[in-house]
Amino acid sequence: MAQKKYLQSKLTQFLREDKIQLWKPPYTDENKEVGLALKDLAKKYSDKLECCENEVEKVMEEIRCKAVERGTGNEHYKTTGIATIEVFLPPRVKKDRKSLLETRLHITGRELRSKIAETFGFQENYIKIVINKKQLQLGETLKEQGVTHNVKAMVLELKQSEEDVRKTFQVEEEKQNEAKLEEKRIQRTKRGLEILAERAAEMVVDPEATPYLDIANQTGRSIRIPPSERKALMLAMGYHEKGRAFLKRKEYGIALPCLLDADKYFCECCRELLDTVDNYAVLQLDIVWCYFRLGQLECLDDAEKKLKLAQECFRKCYGENHQRLLHIKGNCGKEKVLFLRLYLLQGIRNYHSGNGEEAYEYLNKACQLLKELYIDPSKVHSLMQLGFSAQEARLGLRACDGNVDHAAVHITNRREELDQIKKEEREKKRRRLENINHLKGMGYSPRAARQALHQASGNLEEALKILLRNPQMWWLNDSAPESNNRQQSPSQEKIDQLVYMGFDAVAAKAALRVFRGNVQLAAQTLVHNGGRLPPDLQLSAEDSSSTPSTSPSDSAGTSSASTDEDMETEAVNEVLEDIPEHEEDYLDSTLEDEEIIIAEYLSYVENIKSAAKKN
C-alpha cells in the first residue's frame, strides 16, 4: 500500500513537471475513455522509474479516472449546486476505501452521517465523521461548518465490526449497544474534563480532598496562567491525555476525536503560553501518528504543517540544540523519543509524497536515534529489583545513557525532588484557598476573591486593597447574572448600625442595597469613598431597588441533585483513570512499533535507491 502511494506521488510529480493533463486529449477521448497515448506515456515513466510498465500504466489510469471524475463533479456542482465529498472508509473495508458521495451543502451533519451510513453499510450511531480535521457537528449544516465541494471526509468506527456477512440479529443488537455505550463513554469523558477544568480554574475546593487538574513546566512546578485561558488549556490537556490513553490501547478511531478536541482548545490559548510547555508539539505528533495508524494519512492535508509546527514548538520550548532543556533537567535523553517519532513521521510523509531522498534522510535520523535509545532488558530488570517501576527504569536509563548506577541515583533524586515540589505546591494551594475563604468571610464572592488575589500575585493585603479600590468587583458573582440584581430592601437594624458608625442614612441604605445587606462591605466602601457610594455603584443601587425579590426553594430537587453529583463523580473518576501518575509518561515508550515501521519504510526507500543505482 505504501509503495503504491509512493508510485502515485512520483507519477503525479512527473505529470506536473511535464505539464501533462490526463483528463484531456490525447490521453482521454471525447467519450472520457482512455486514449492510446497513455500507454506510451506509461512506458516512458516506467523506464524512468525502473518499474513494471503494467503497474505504472494501471496507476496512471487510476490518476486519469480520478481527474475525469473530479472534472465531471466540478461541472455538476456549478450547474446543480450538488457537491461531491470524497469519503475515506475505515481500514476493515479492504476494497474501495475511497468513494465519492454527492450531497447538497445545506443539509445537517446528522443527515450526512445518515447518508454515509446508508450508502456504505454502517450503523448510523456507530460512526463519527471527521472533515477538515474537526468532528462533524450533527446539529449544524455542512455549509456552516465550512464543508465545501471536493472536501475529504474520514469515517471512524467506534469499534471494529465483524467481517462475517452472515451476522445474526443478536450480534447486530449487541453491536448497536456497544456503540451506544461508547458514545456515552465519550460524553462522560467530556463532562468529567469540564468539571476538573472548572475546579482548577476556580480553585475554591480543598486540593487535598478533591481531584482537579494542574499544569506544570518541565521541572514539575505549576505554571501561573491567566484565568481567561486556564480552563481552555485544562480542557486541551485533559482531552490530550484521554486521547493518549486510547492510543496506548491502539483504539485509534476513538483517540482521534479526543486529540482533535484537544487541538481545538489549544488554539484558544495564546502562542506565548504554548511555547512554555511541550504539550502542543506532542499533540501535533499524536494527531499525525493517529492518522497514519488509521491508514488515512492522505486525509490530513496539512501533515507537513503539523510536523513543522511540532519541530518549531520543540525548538522554542527546549531551546536551540536542547540548551534550555539541558539547563533545566541536566539531560535530554528522554525527550529524544519525541524526536524519533518526529523524524519517523517526516520520513513517512516524504515517502508518501514521492520524495525518496528526503524520506531516506529522515528515516535514517530516526534509525540512529533508535540505536541510541535502545535499552538492554537486563538493565531494566536490575533497576526493578531495586524497587523501581519498569517505566522509571526506562526513563532513567535513557536520561543516563544506559548507566544503571547513574539511573538509580537519577530516579531516586527525581522522586525526592518531585515529592518536595508537590509538598510546596500543595502548601501554596492551601494558602490560596485560605485567602479566598478569608475574603469570602468578609462578604466577597469567590470569583471576586480569586480575581483580586490573581492581580495581587497571591498577597492577601494587596488583594483587599484592590477590592476596596474597585468595589464594583463585588458584582463578580459566581451565580447566574439574572439573580445578582435581586435584593430585598435592607433591614432598619442594619441601616441603624451604619448610621451609628457616622454614615448618612440615605448613603447607608444605598450601600446596603448594593451589597445585599452586608454591613461590613457597605461600611468599608463608604469609608474608602468619603461616606458616599461611587457613581457606578449608585446606579447599581437604583437597579436593585426596582427589582422584585425572589426566594428560591431550598428543598426542591434534593434527590436529583444527589443523582447529578454521583454522575459527576463517576465522570471525573473515569477521566482520572486515564491520567498517568508519572509526569513523564508521554516520554516513555518501548519503541517496538517504531522499530518495525522504520525497518519497513527503510526497505521501501532502499529499493528505490537500488533501482536508481542500476539505472
Side-chain angles (χ1 to χ4, degrees):
M1 186 66 175
Q3 290 165 304
K4 184 180 178 181
K5 284 180 181 176
Y6 174 82
L7 182 56
Q8 286 173 333
S9 297
K10 220 43 196 169
L11 290 171
T12 303
Q13 277 183 17
F14 291 160
L15 291 168
R16 284 202 193 102
E17 289 167 5
D18 295 343
K19 297 180 180 179
I20 291 174
Q21 299 174 322
L22 291 182
W23 62 93
K24 291 182 177 180
Y27 309 104
T28 299
D29 62 23
E30 63 275 7
N31 298 318
K32 297 184 179 177
E33 296 295 328
V34 60
L36 295 176
L38 187 74
K39 193 169 186 66
D40 296 333
L41 190 62
K43 173 76 169 64
K44 173 187 171 182
Y45 288 158
S46 65
D47 291 342
K48 194 173 181 179
L49 289 167
E50 287 287 321
C51 288
C52 170
E53 184 180 335
N54 288 339
E55 184 63 27
V56 170
E57 186 177 352
K58 183 181 175 183
V59 172
M60 286 186 67
E61 172 60 3
E62 288 178 10
I63 295 171
R64 188 195 70 83
C65 288
K66 186 175 179 180
V68 170
E69 279 180 351
R70 182 175 283 262
T72 304
N74 290 342
E75 291 173 11
H76 189 53
Y77 177 63
K78 285 176 184 177
T79 55
T80 66
I82 298 175
T84 300
I85 293 177
E86 192 172 5
V87 181
F88 289 73
L89 302 173
R92 73 174 181 85
V93 181
K94 301 298 182 185
K95 293 182 179 179
D96 299 323
R97 285 185 59 192
K98 279 194 295 184
S99 299
L100 299 180
L101 184 75
E102 292 187 339
T103 181
R104 293 193 179 275
L105 299 178
H106 60 70
I107 69 169
T108 64
R110 181 173 282 103
E111 290 172 307
L112 177 63
R113 186 181 70 168
S114 298
K115 197 169 186 177
I116 288 174
E118 183 181 350
T119 305
F120 302 108
F122 295 108
Q123 295 291 336
E124 184 177 339
N125 296 322
Y126 194 37
I127 57 173
K128 283 187 177 292
I129 315 297
V130 174
I131 298 179
N132 294 331
K133 304 175 289 298
K134 295 177 184 174
Q135 283 190 70
L136 186 69
Q137 299 301 308
L138 301 182
E140 298 176 14
T141 67
L142 303 186
K143 194 172 184 179
E144 288 171 342
Q145 299 180 66
V147 177
T148 57
H149 175 57
N150 283 332
V151 77
K152 295 175 181 177
M154 183 166 68
V155 179
L156 299 174
E157 283 186 294
L158 296 178
K159 284 286 181 184
Q160 291 289 320
S161 301
E162 294 291 334
E163 292 184 14
D164 185 0
V165 292
R166 294 171 296 176
K167 295 175 182 175
T168 63
F169 176 76
Q170 184 180 1
V171 171
E172 284 287 349
E173 192 172 30
E174 285 174 1
K175 288 199 163 295
Q176 286 186 39
N177 290 336
E178 272 185 23
K180 287 176 183 175
L181 287 171
E182 205 61 66
E183 183 61 32
K184 285 180 181 177
R185 181 183 175 192
I186 291 168
Q187 292 304 317
R188 280 199 307 274
T189 294
K190 183 177 181 181
R191 182 60 191 136
L193 286 170
E194 286 173 349
I195 294 167
L196 288 166
E198 284 163 7
R199 288 176 182 173
E202 295 172 4
M203 195 42 70
V204 292
V205 297
D206 180 0
E208 296 286 348
T210 310
Y212 66 96
L213 293 180
D214 202 2
I215 302 167
N217 59 19
Q218 277 93 358
T219 65
R221 295 189 182 276
S222 294
I223 299 173
R224 192 163 176 263
I225 298 166
S228 59
E229 296 189 22
R230 191 174 183 86
K231 186 175 179 181
L233 190 56
M234 287 290 179
L235 285 169
M237 296 176 73
Y239 275 114
H240 190 188
E241 288 296 350
K242 194 69 180 176
R244 284 181 57 78
F246 288 127
L247 280 180
K248 286 180 186 176
R249 297 194 284 268
K250 302 188 186 299
E251 297 181 58
Y252 303 110
I254 306 173
L256 185 58
C258 291
L259 298 175
L260 294 176
D261 279 340
D263 200 32
K264 178 181 73 174
Y265 284 111
F266 267 123
C267 290
E268 294 179 14
C269 302
C270 66
R271 286 297 319 169
E272 292 80 7
L273 181 60
L274 298 181
D275 289 341
T276 62
V277 290
D278 57 8
N279 305 71
Y280 190 52
V282 176
L283 174 65
Q284 304 310 308
L285 294 186
D286 288 339
I287 290 174
V288 179
W289 181 257
C290 203
Y291 271 95
F292 167 65
R293 297 301 276 171
L294 284 165
Q296 304 283 24
L297 201 54
E298 58 191 303
C299 283
L300 191 61
D301 295 328
D302 65 345
E304 182 181 10
K305 181 183 172 184
K306 283 191 174 296
L307 294 175
K308 282 183 177 177
L309 179 59
Q311 193 162 12
E312 181 61 15
C313 284
F314 283 140
R315 186 188 66 78
K316 289 180 179 177
C317 185
Y318 296 157
E320 294 289 350
N321 300 318
H322 306 165
Q323 287 176 353
R324 182 168 176 265
L325 187 65
L326 289 167
H327 177 72
I328 294 170
K329 288 189 170 183
N331 67 81
C332 59
K334 293 173 281 190
E335 281 73 15
K336 286 181 180 178
V337 167
L338 302 176
F339 287 91
L340 185 149
R341 176 72 65 87
L342 173 65
Y343 297 147
L344 172 56
L345 289 171
Q346 285 174 323
I348 291 169
R349 193 207 66 78
N350 273 286
Y351 180 78
H352 285 194
S353 300
N355 305 321
E357 290 183 10
E358 290 87 344
Y360 178 75
E361 184 181 334
Y362 282 117
L363 290 168
N364 197 40
K365 278 186 178 182
C367 190
Q368 291 302 317
L369 274 180
L370 183 67
K371 291 173 184 175
E372 281 183 41
L373 294 169
Y374 171 77
I375 295 172
D376 186 343
S378 65
K379 292 182 178 181
V380 174
H381 181 68
S382 297
L383 287 169
M384 289 177 69
Q385 286 185 319
L386 295 175
F388 302 121
S389 69
Q391 184 178 62
E392 286 178 315
R394 283 192 295 269
L395 290 168
L397 286 166
R398 282 179 181 147
C400 300
D401 297 323
N403 187 301
V404 175
D405 294 334
H406 291 176
V409 174
H410 172 84
I411 298 167
T412 303
N413 290 343
R414 185 59 180 154
R415 278 184 176 184
E416 292 173 356
E417 184 185 343
L418 283 174
D419 285 343
Q420 181 60 31
I421 289 172
K422 286 175 183 176
K423 186 178 177 182
E424 292 171 7
E425 292 295 327
R426 281 197 299 269
E427 179 60 23
K428 191 193 300 180
K429 289 175 176 65
R430 186 191 62 76
R431 284 198 305 271
R432 185 170 187 270
L433 185 59
E434 282 181 358
N435 290 342
I436 289 172
N437 289 333
H438 183 84
L439 292 173
K440 281 171 63 182
M442 295 176 68
Y444 294 104
S445 70
R447 188 176 171 193
R450 287 195 306 272
Q451 184 162 319
L453 284 165
H454 181 78
Q455 290 179 22
S457 299
N459 186 296
L460 181 59
E461 286 186 20
E462 281 299 316
L464 189 54
K465 289 177 184 177
I466 289 168
L467 288 167
L468 287 171
R469 285 196 301 269
N470 303 278
Q472 69 275 9
M473 285 180 70
W474 189 82
W475 291 98
L476 290 172
N477 201 281
D478 298 85
S479 58
E482 63 270 16
S483 67
N484 290 345
N485 292 328
R486 296 174 179 173
Q487 175 57 37
Q488 292 177 327
S489 294
S491 68
Q492 188 61 45
E493 181 185 353
K494 290 182 177 180
I495 295 171
D496 291 343
Q497 277 183 265
L498 290 176
V499 170
Y500 180 76
M501 293 178 194
F503 299 114
D504 177 73
V506 175
K509 188 174 182 179
L512 286 167
R513 275 182 179 153
V514 169
F515 294 108
R516 301 182 203 164
N518 189 306
V519 175
Q520 188 176 3
L521 281 180
Q524 286 176 351
T525 303
L526 289 170
V527 168
H528 195 75
N529 292 277
R532 295 189 304 274
L533 277 180
D536 53 343
L537 289 189
Q538 287 176 20
L539 292 173
S540 299
E542 291 169 11
D543 291 342
S544 64
S545 64
S546 63
T547 308
S549 168
T550 59
S551 177
S553 168
D554 293 331
S555 59
T558 305
S559 175
S560 65
S562 176
T563 304
D564 289 345
E565 190 175 328
D566 291 340
M567 290 174 68
E568 287 189 354
T569 302
E570 182 185 348
V572 167
N573 289 338
E574 193 166 302
V575 171
L576 292 174
E577 284 174 7
D578 284 328
I579 294 180
E581 291 184 15
H582 200 290
E583 78 285 354
E584 292 183 326
D585 177 82
Y586 71 104
L587 299 175
D588 177 43
S589 172
T590 61
L591 299 178
E592 291 172 357
D593 288 346
E594 286 84 348
E595 183 178 8
I596 293 168
I597 295 166
I598 288 171
E600 178 187 350
Y601 275 83
L602 272 176
S603 70
Y604 298 155
V605 176
E606 291 290 353
N607 289 340
I608 297 168
K609 289 170 73 71
S610 298
K613 284 178 183 177
K614 288 178 184 176
N615 194 29

